[in-house]
Amino acid sequence: VMLLLFTAPAFASEKLMVIGHKNPDTDSVISAIAYANLKNLMGGKEAFPAVAGPINSETRFVLDHFKVPYPEIITDCKDQCKQVILVDHNEMAQTVDNLNMENVVEVLDHHRIGGFTSSKAIAFLDEPVGATASIVANLYEQNKIPISREMAGLMLSAILSDTVLLKSPTSTSRDADTVVKLAEIAGIDDPKTFGIELLRAKSNIASRSACDLVTGDLKKFNFSGTKAAVGQIEVMDLNDLASKRASILEE
Ligand code: MN
Ligand code: MN
């Protein structure tokens, strides 16, 4: 006689945590919020958004503008994070500290697939579009879940930010179409003007330290054992950078 016992994993009752990469940018924070919201509206296991570090001035501007609370900051997964959805990244070098990649149950991303492995089948959606928020917005549509004004405003902001007003090389017509639909729901007549306001909040570098500027959007990579990191600073006017140049190079 063969007896098969199916026991539910101890973490079966844990909530789903939706989290973006370290040094969170607006797309990673908002994709976590909007995707957790979608998961909850669809029923099933309860989901909550988290961020892997303090949120930047641009993201604060967006969340304040649409009156959406800041997500919980989780910088270390020790003894927690049992059911995790990664958004806006899939590389271990960019994910929250001490996350057991076996606890990742889903990935939603628009970046290169950087060595992700899993011993079981998971939902893994990686699409060549300009922002993870575009994928999330499309998932609301596909699942016929209406998008609230706040969520539309958030996702619109994330797409405009990540695609630098739809001008980045990664931006696609799908991002542009999604921006039009979201702007209508959010009641924003002129997404371009709103986007410029948004990028100003992000590119205000005058008051930021050189260390903050260098590490603010820093992504670590492991290229077959060679560690490298790439940091970016976006400014509306290159002249803004002149007075900071020496201290940035030193840092
Ligand atoms: Mn990102
Ligand atoms: Mn992104």
Side-chain angles (χ1 to χ4, degrees):
V1 175
M2 199 163 82
L3 181 66
L4 291 176
L5 284 177
F6 293 96
T7 46
F11 49 78
S13 61
E14 288 231 10
K15 285 187 199 171
L16 283 167
M17 179 176 88
V18 190
I19 191 163
H21 53 78
K22 281 182 186 167
N23 299 318
D25 57 7
T26 298
D27 188 37
S28 72
V29 177
I30 278 165
S31 295
I33 294 172
Y35 196 47
N37 182 255
L38 174 61
K39 284 274 171 193
N40 289 334
L41 290 171
M42 286 172 67
K45 197 184 279 281
E46 197 182 337
F48 73 99
V51 286
I55 59 175
N56 68 30
S57 57
E58 181 195 62
T59 312
R60 282 200 299 273
F61 168 85
V62 174
L63 294 177
D64 293 347
H65 188 92
F66 294 102
K67 300 187 174 62
V68 172
Y70 299 176
E72 184 181 342
I73 299 180
I74 292 180
T75 54
D76 194 327
C77 269
K78 223 170 176 212
D79 303 324
Q80 49 180 345
C81 317
K82 300 298 183 199
Q83 299 264 287
V84 181
I85 298 175
L86 301 183
V87 291
D88 201 39
H89 74 300
N90 68 75
E91 303 200 32
M92 217 173 150
Q94 296 165 13
T95 208
V96 58
D97 286 341
N98 293 315
L99 171 64
N100 178 355
M101 293 303 263
E102 285 298 319
N103 291 347
V104 175
V105 296
E106 194 173 337
V107 176
L108 213 57
D109 195 11
H110 68 130
H111 293 97
R112 72 164 200 158
I113 301 170
F116 187 92
T117 58
S118 174
S119 64
K120 57 187 183 299
I122 64 161
F124 192 109
L125 183 57
D126 195 303
E127 296 192 273
V129 290
T132 302
S134 293
I135 304 172
V136 178
N138 296 162
L139 286 173
Y140 274 83
E141 273 188 340
Q142 283 169 30
N143 290 287
K144 300 194 168 53
I145 302 288
I147 301 175
S148 68
R149 193 190 150 270
E150 290 76 23
M151 287 299 142
L154 293 191
M155 290 189 281
L156 170 73
S157 305
I159 300 168
L160 291 173
S161 164
D162 238 33
T163 63
V164 196
L165 306 181
L166 300 173
K167 279 187 230 139
S168 73
T170 54
S171 188
T172 66
S173 58
R174 233 176 92 190
D175 300 294
D177 294 346
T178 308
V179 159
V180 172
K181 286 180 197 164
L182 293 175
E184 198 185 323
I185 301 169
I188 290 171
D189 300 331
D190 185 358
K192 277 263 153 73
T193 307
F194 175 73
I196 289 169
E197 208 184 325
L198 193 82
L199 293 182
R200 283 236 164 79
K202 176 200 218 159
S203 65
N204 179 17
I205 64 164
S207 59
R208 296 171 61 192
S209 70
C211 176
D212 184 38
L213 290 171
V214 170
T215 59
D217 187 3
L218 188 75
K219 276 190 181 153
K220 292 178 188 168
F221 295 92
N222 191 333
F223 297 112
S224 313
T226 303
K227 289 179 179 171
V230 179
Q232 297 188 84
I233 308 166
E234 278 155 11
V235 290
M236 298 295 278
D237 185 342
L238 272 179
N239 291 322
D240 296 350
L241 214 52
S243 64
K244 293 270 180 188
R245 193 182 166 82
S247 59
I248 289 170
L249 289 173
E250 193 191 344
E251 185 69 33

